[in-house]
Amino acid sequence: MRGTEIAIVIKAARFAADKHRQQRRKDVDASPYINHPIAVADLLANECGVTDPVALCAALLHDTIEDTDTTEQELRQAFGDEITGVVLEVTDDKTLAKKLRKQLQIEHARHASPCARLVKLADKTCNLRDMATAPPADWSAQRKADYFDWAGEVVAGLRGSHPKLDALFDDAWRLKEFV
Ligand code: NDP
Ligand code: ZN
């Protein structure tokens, strides 16, 4: 990566760390939320060899609009239209009921742009890994298993753009039998 590309990836890491600073994951230790976007970017960069700064920035920023007070305008100003577009593609509309949002993720997957596919697939892979190693504290085995099944349905529409990432998702999905 060139210097300007490294700089924007670091800027995205700092922006996300600041925006998620009050948030925790749902595991029993209430881990810092920022560990998750970093894990998604790390999976893409270091397990899949992705070097596209748009994908890596979008991975770091993927939950900022959905889960913090970050606005689309703020992202456009700081990171430009391309990165912001990918973040918007992977952002759920939280005004909709949860069941509908879950269904829309399945339906929208096959229409996602190449970059959004990478981020979404890596996000689901990281969440399945977490579900197996540091799951939401109060979830039943059935609820965790349901999450694996739903993630599998979303990812069915995302497959085929990165064989290594597809394989890593499949490895994570096989953790279902241990939850
Ligand atoms: P949620 O969307 O509420 O929670 C899962 C999300 O939490 C993940 O996608 C992830 O999103 C985030 N997350 C935060 N911490 C963790 C962690 N430690 N490990 C993994 N993910 C974490 O899930 P749902 O309510 O949709 O539940 C999933 C399934 O369970 C559904 O299919 C639903 O039908 C079923 N269900 C079962 C219930 C039951 O009691 N049996 C009740 C409700 C639903 P992000 O990457 O955005 O942070
Ligand atoms: Zn996420």
Side-chain angles (χ1 to χ4, degrees):
M1 263 200 284
R2 291 175 303 149
T4 51
E5 295 176 340
I6 293 170
I8 199 161
V9 173
I10 300 287
K11 181 176 170 176
R14 185 183 178 188
F15 184 97
D18 181 44
K19 288 295 188 177
H20 290 297
R21 69 188 182 282
Q22 310 280 20
Q23 281 181 293
R24 297 288 181 271
R25 297 289 280 171
K26 297 171 180 168
D27 60 287
V28 70
D29 292 334
S31 307
Y33 195 90
I34 189 61
N35 292 6
H36 166 66
I38 291 175
V40 175
D42 180 57
L43 187 158
L44 288 176
N46 294 311
E47 295 187 64
C48 298
V50 171
T51 57
D52 179 359
V54 174
L56 299 179
C57 286
L60 288 165
L61 299 167
H62 80 270
D63 281 327
T64 55
I65 292 187
E66 192 171 301
D67 293 335
T68 78
D69 64 2
T70 306
T71 63
E72 176 182 341
Q73 185 57 24
E74 208 178 352
L75 277 193
R76 285 194 195 282
Q77 236 155 28
F79 299 101
D81 291 343
E82 197 179 3
I83 291 168
T84 304
V86 178
V87 175
L88 289 172
E89 273 193 85
V90 303
T91 297
D92 271 7
D93 179 351
K94 280 201 159 171
T95 64
L96 302 176
K98 193 174 212 172
K99 203 167 175 202
L100 177 58
R101 277 194 271 139
K102 296 271 165 193
Q103 184 56 35
L104 287 176
Q105 281 207 32
I106 296 170
E107 288 169 20
H108 289 164
R110 64 193 73 259
H111 306 294
S113 70
C115 241
R117 277 166 194 266
L118 291 179
V119 174
K120 256 194 166 305
L121 234 163
D123 183 32
K124 292 289 177 280
T125 303
C126 287
N127 281 336
L128 293 190
R129 289 176 177 180
D130 283 351
M131 211 50 81
T133 60
D138 56 351
W139 283 30
S140 66
Q142 182 61 53
R143 187 166 179 185
K144 288 182 248 182
D146 287 349
Y147 188 88
F148 276 77
D149 291 341
W150 169 73
E153 287 188 70
V154 176
V155 165
L158 300 170
R159 284 179 185 283
S161 54
H162 195 298
K164 180 75 196 285
L165 189 50
D166 290 355
L168 290 174
F169 176 82
D170 291 336
D171 289 346
W173 203 86
R174 280 190 281 272
L175 298 170
K176 182 184 174 191
E177 65 176 298
F178 303 108
V179 303

